[in-house]
Amino acid sequence: MKGIKTDKSRLRKLVFSEVARLAYEGSAPEAFDDLPYKLVDTTEDPYRETIFLERSLLGERIRACMGMSLRKLDEHTPVSKGLEEAMDSQKYYEPPLIDIIKFACNRCPDKRVYISDGCQGCLEHPCKEVCPKKCITLERRGGRAVIDETQCIKCGRCMQECRFNAIIKQERPCVSVCGMGAIEQDEYGHAEINQDKCVSCGQCLNSCPFAAIVDKSQIYQTVRALVSDTPVYAIIAPSMAGQFGKGLTDEKIRGAFAELGFDDVYEVAVGADLCCIEEAEHFIREVPEELPFMCTSCCPAWSKMAKKEFPEFADCISMAMTPMVLTARLIKQRHPESMIVFVGPCLAKKKEASRRAVKSYVDFVLTYEELDGMFKAKEVDFDAIEDSTPPLRASADAFGFARSGGVAQAVVNHVRRIDPDREVKIVKAEGLDECMKMMRRAAKGEYDGYLLEGMACPGGCIAGAGTMQPVTKSSVNLDLKMKSMPVENSTDTAFAHMLKSLENYPEIMEIDPFEDL
């Protein structure tokens, strides 16, 4: 529930901030072993029925926060076991990226049609009459309806006919949002993730009200890099607009990140401009002569789903590098010995950054939630930070990448500028369920000649799993950011010439791509 401070969000922030604090202090592994006890003592009441269970759960969350695997149910080892291995520069995190703490799972009912206490025991009882399996009976006293769940086929006819809305359909929250059907059930009724199907969109993590689903973080590794002698640069996604409230203005971004130890901050929107130009040129050149249609490549969860479920159309996904990778490559050209931290809304970006081809450019990925924990650990006061030059140099269209439909629209706008007579038909989908439907129609030839945009998260990146604000509020903040940009279209970006340089990487450019314009 984005924007609502719940026990779940407070618990996540507490773990993020405490792990960051210990990392900044350079604490010994024993401090992490003591952390579950300390954190339980700071809460008025444990979130679970016993403090012993809560300590165990906190231990697992702390391990995940440091990129380490969850322990087995019968494993009694220190929280910090494996911490040294987690600092291996060749290891991004211990897979899987998203996992389930089994003893935190509530074993929620799945696809259950249930008659609630709202049943009035009416005389008409239409629910009983319309049931095709005749599995609804009436209590002898009061006439309340009862469903034989062993016979129910979950058709929903009874729900439609009940005048009191007393019949409800219950489904596991994590199952209901997984567009890949990756949430399954073990022999004990706990949810488990089929990693072969999962594309790491993170919607299940957001939906679980018991905080049983966790993702691997690199807060610890990032902080240790920040306190080292290695230059560390942050690249921030366009969806960051408004995520940290009114206090973190554009003029305070550089100062706020400096408080955490970053050497500087750059906008991924610069890479979005370049991505837009590349995809537009690919579309003009390849559709429909070489490809029946083209899909955008920015959302890693969507593109992975498309390749996994529709391998025969894998070539239709744009080969343009994502804005994250393009921006990181530009910085590594000028600062080859630096480390790059992508800050954004997306769990799937962690998966993307772990790919061998990307790892040399993007060292770590943090979500806004995780960054917020670091701000809290360092007690950063946004109001006390002096204003400085905002890291804003991209087009409005580039920032539009953060919203569903924004990528396709940016590409269309660029095509119109360079080839006014070219018509570009677009279709977009948000949420993997809808993306799957879009691809099925494309596979049937219904979208030949089209540009297809997919976003795994409903609403786009501004609704990503690592965001903190409601999507409506984020959309308003994004509009304001787009209106403040110096240019409207990617065509007018001052960085277009840099695509040629990227083709010859690692040749060092003669100019700094991020010098103030």
Side-chain angles (χ1 to χ4, degrees):
M1 295 184 180
K2 301 296 184 182
I4 302 176
K5 293 182 179 180
T6 65
D7 284 344
K8 173 183 169 180
S9 62
R10 282 188 284 268
L11 182 61
R12 286 176 61 81
K13 183 181 291 189
L14 183 63
V15 172
F16 292 153
S17 62
E18 285 301 304
V19 168
R21 182 182 62 81
L22 292 179
Y24 273 115
E25 294 174 355
S27 300
E30 292 75 19
F32 294 94
D33 298 333
D34 294 337
L35 196 52
Y37 297 88
K38 175 186 173 182
L39 295 185
V40 167
D41 292 340
T42 63
T43 59
E44 295 181 4
D45 297 297
Y47 296 106
R48 302 284 173 166
E49 54 266 30
T50 69
I51 60 172
F52 306 106
L53 178 58
E54 188 55 44
R55 286 172 186 162
S56 297
L57 291 171
L58 282 167
E60 299 310 300
R61 293 189 178 101
I62 292 166
R63 287 183 59 82
C65 186
M66 295 190 290
M68 299 188 293
S69 295
L70 304 179
R71 294 170 293 187
K72 298 179 180 178
L73 289 175
D74 58 350
E75 185 179 356
H76 303 288
T77 56
V79 169
S80 61
K81 181 183 178 182
L83 183 57
E84 291 185 4
E85 291 86 346
M87 287 299 293
D88 183 352
S89 61
Q90 300 304 312
K91 184 190 295 185
Y92 197 80
Y93 57 81
E94 291 180 350
L97 173 61
I98 302 175
D99 209 349
I100 295 176
I101 306 174
K102 289 299 182 71
F103 54 100
C105 176
N106 193 56
R107 297 185 290 184
C108 304
D110 189 25
K111 295 180 180 177
R112 173 194 182 194
V113 177
Y114 172 70
I115 299 179
S116 70
D117 290 340
C119 177
Q120 301 296 299
C122 65
L123 179 64
E124 188 176 33
H125 46 74
C127 57
K128 177 176 180 293
E129 303 302 334
V130 301
C131 178
K133 302 298 290 185
K134 305 301 179 186
C135 62
I136 297 181
T137 58
L138 306 176
E139 292 180 346
R140 295 186 63 182
R141 292 186 179 182
R144 291 169 61 88
V146 178
I147 296 178
D148 181 353
E149 294 187 30
T150 62
Q151 300 297 317
C152 179
I153 59 173
K154 289 85 175 175
C155 67
R157 291 286 305 280
C158 57
M159 298 168 54
Q160 296 169 6
E161 296 299 331
C162 179
R163 307 292 195 274
F164 299 101
N165 298 316
I167 307 177
I168 58 176
K169 186 175 182 179
Q170 292 182 321
E171 188 175 15
R172 283 184 188 267
C174 54
V175 170
S176 66
V177 299
C178 181
M180 297 299 296
I183 307 295
E184 299 175 355
Q185 182 174 296
D186 67 14
E187 58 185 316
Y188 302 107
H190 299 111
E192 62 181 8
I193 300 174
N194 184 331
Q195 299 296 339
D196 291 332
K197 295 181 179 180
C198 179
V199 295
S200 306
C201 68
Q203 291 301 302
C204 60
L205 184 148
N206 273 346
S207 71
C208 178
F210 295 94
I213 304 179
V214 293
D215 63 314
K216 304 293 173 57
S217 172
Q218 288 191 307
I219 288 180
Y220 181 81
Q221 292 84 345
T222 300
V223 171
R224 297 311 301 161
L226 289 171
V227 299
S228 71
D229 295 330
T230 302
V232 183
Y233 297 96
I235 56 176
I236 57 177
S239 56
M240 184 171 159
Q243 285 295 316
F244 296 88
K246 296 180 179 180
L248 186 57
T249 62
D250 292 337
E251 291 74 20
K252 294 181 182 293
I253 287 177
R254 277 196 164 112
F257 277 79
E259 291 281 320
L260 299 181
F262 287 96
D263 286 75
D264 206 349
V265 185
Y266 301 114
E267 284 280 6
V268 172
V270 169
D273 271 329
L274 302 186
C275 178
C276 171
I277 294 171
E278 274 202 294
E279 291 198 342
E281 292 178 352
H282 291 174
F283 184 86
I284 292 173
R285 184 172 61 249
E286 298 172 357
V287 180
E289 288 77 9
E290 298 179 23
L291 300 173
F293 55 85
M294 193 181 84
C295 303
T296 59
S297 63
C298 299
C299 174
W302 135 254
S303 60
K304 184 176 181 181
M305 180 279 288
K307 293 175 182 177
K308 183 189 292 283
E309 299 297 323
F310 304 90
E312 67 274 26
F313 293 104
D315 291 342
C316 293
I317 299 173
S318 171
M319 294 301 293
M321 290 180 287
T322 64
M324 175 184 78
V325 178
L326 280 165
T327 307
R329 287 187 69 169
L330 285 171
I331 297 172
K332 282 291 179 80
Q333 279 188 323
R334 193 64 176 175
H335 307 287
E337 302 302 320
S338 67
M339 300 186 80
I340 308 296
V341 180
F342 172 77
V343 180
C346 183
L347 303 192
K349 285 295 183 184
K350 297 181 180 182
K351 195 85 168 181
E352 179 187 354
S354 69
R355 290 164 45 200
R356 184 174 300 178
V358 178
K359 185 71 176 80
S360 57
Y361 309 120
V362 181
D363 296 279
F364 305 119
V365 171
L366 295 175
T367 66
Y368 301 134
E369 264 194 311
E370 293 163 347
L371 181 68
D372 192 45
M374 292 172 61
F375 282 138
K376 184 177 181 182
K378 291 289 286 183
E379 299 181 352
V380 177
D381 181 3
F382 297 146
D383 293 334
I385 296 173
E386 293 185 5
D387 289 353
S388 59
T389 304
L392 305 175
R393 302 176 178 86
S395 71
D397 277 354
F399 280 88
F401 270 50
R403 179 188 288 122
S404 176
V407 181
Q409 189 59 56
V411 172
V412 169
N413 291 343
H414 183 62
V415 171
R416 286 173 179 167
R417 291 286 296 275
I418 61 178
D419 188 357
D421 297 329
R422 178 67 180 262
E423 180 185 9
V424 183
K425 296 180 180 179
I426 62 175
V427 61
K428 67 181 181 71
E430 48 188 285
L432 289 174
D433 273 336
E434 295 302 313
C435 289
M436 194 86 73
K437 294 175 184 177
M438 179 176 68
M439 281 301 296
R440 289 194 188 107
R441 297 185 69 175
K444 293 178 181 178
E446 296 182 30
Y447 294 136
D448 283 357
Y450 277 67
L451 174 65
L452 277 59
E453 180 198 295
M455 290 280 190
C457 299
C461 300
I462 53 176
T467 58
M468 299 185 294
Q469 300 293 342
V471 65
T472 51
K473 185 175 181 179
S474 296
S475 184
V476 171
N477 286 321
L478 183 63
D479 284 336
L480 295 173
K481 176 64 73 68
M482 292 173 67
K483 289 177 181 177
S484 69
M485 291 302 101
V487 295
E488 184 175 349
N489 303 134
S490 297
T491 312
D492 301 319
T493 178
F495 305 99
H497 66 283
M498 295 176 187
L499 283 171
K500 292 292 184 182
S501 175
L502 285 172
E503 293 174 1
N504 300 320
Y505 185 84
E507 180 182 325
I508 303 299
M509 295 189 307
E510 296 180 358
I511 63 170
D512 187 338
F514 292 101
E515 66 183 356
D516 288 332
L517 300 177

